Amino acid sequence: MAKTDLNLDLPLLSESPAGWAEIASARLDLFLADHAGCEQQAALSALSLADRYLDDEELVDKLTSLAMEEIVHFRRVAAILRSRSIFAGRKRSNPWVQALLKNIQDRREPHHKVDRLLVGALIEARSCERFTRLLTVTDDTEVQELLTDLGPAEARHWRMFYDLAARELPESELASRWRAWLLFERDLTAKGGKLPTVHG
Ligand SMILES: [Fe+2]
Ligand SMILES: [Fe+2]
């Protein structure tokens, strides 16, 4: 697969700001440390969503499977951190994800559920875009292998989140909601790109 093929299927309205991949490539230690936290968080958020919507069998099945996959991703990144003795600089906050979550204001159901799933789709899609972008720049073979393996999983994940959301609303309502989220994410991402982190 060509390095940029993955992006062709992404729904995002923009690429990451120019220069982000070079910043991340210059500080792979910080990128990897942040990446481990993102995988851990992905597993936890999937479980918390499954816990909230226990009555939705399809959602619980898919999100628990996803959580298991994210744990495998976490272990893989953690092993790289350990082999490189990267223990410093670990930060827990992700202002980009926090801004997305803060923008979920509709408490009515199924709208709240839809928004949480669409945010999940955005997070996965942007992760995939960032992995693809970094792949074109880094010459670290271990990181190249990691991103090549994980990119397709994140591409699959955004679609899974989106499809779960799509069950809940009529097509036109879903389309306008998704469009609003894509625009919000585009503007949010345009403000970032200055740190060697997976998002923001
Ligand atoms: Fe992952
Ligand atoms: Fe994922």
Side-chain angles (χ1 to χ4, degrees):
M1 174 167 49
K3 280 180 177 178
T4 51
D5 279 1
L6 273 175
N7 278 346
L8 298 177
D9 287 331
L10 292 179
L12 302 171
L13 300 180
S14 67
E15 293 189 349
S16 288
W20 171 81
E22 286 74 13
I23 291 169
S25 167
R27 290 305 307 266
L28 282 179
D29 57 332
L30 296 179
F31 173 82
L32 290 165
D34 180 65
H35 184 178
C38 290
E39 299 292 0
Q40 179 246 38
Q41 207 48 55
L44 291 179
S45 320
L47 285 180
S48 110
L49 209 46
D51 185 55
R52 180 171 177 134
Y53 297 107
L54 275 180
D55 58 329
D56 184 339
E57 188 179 355
E58 185 184 8
L59 181 148
V60 171
D61 277 357
K62 289 190 169 161
L63 290 184
T64 49
S65 296
L66 178 127
M68 288 192 273
E69 245 189 288
E70 304 295 13
I71 289 170
V72 173
H73 295 176
F74 171 76
R75 284 179 72 160
R76 185 151 170 201
V77 184
I80 297 176
L81 292 180
R82 206 162 47 242
S83 73
R84 297 183 181 203
S85 299
I86 301 172
F87 303 113
R90 308 234 25 225
K91 67 173 191 65
R92 280 280 168 267
S93 69
N94 185 332
W96 180 85
V97 167
Q98 281 158 14
L100 289 173
L101 293 174
K102 217 172 146 195
N103 194 48
I104 301 176
Q105 281 149 11
D106 198 338
R107 299 286 152 198
R108 294 169 305 155
E109 293 293 7
H111 304 83
H112 185 75
K113 183 185 196 178
V114 166
D115 284 346
R116 286 193 62 175
L117 290 166
L118 293 181
V119 164
L122 289 173
I123 294 170
E124 298 284 353
R126 184 56 74 186
S127 305
C128 182
E129 190 264 344
R130 287 277 169 102
F131 292 171
T132 310
R133 196 72 47 230
L134 181 54
L135 249 182
T136 64
V137 171
T138 185
D139 50 16
D140 184 310
T141 50
E142 188 175 37
V143 171
Q144 281 175 353
E145 267 175 44
L146 174 77
L147 300 178
T148 302
D149 290 348
L150 265 47
E154 312 311 357
R156 190 159 38 73
H157 292 170
W158 89 255
R159 173 61 73 177
M160 189 212 71
F161 274 108
Y162 180 84
D163 288 345
L164 285 172
R167 303 167 309 156
E168 306 286 343
L169 292 177
E171 208 175 314
S172 64
E173 200 182 335
L174 180 82
S176 69
R177 218 164 176 94
W178 184 222
R179 176 82 188 156
W181 273 112
L182 288 170
L183 289 167
F184 182 83
E185 193 278 338
R186 179 195 67 187
D187 295 346
L188 184 63
T189 293
K191 293 183 206 142
K194 298 173 188 73
L195 295 171
T197 48
V198 177
H199 306 118

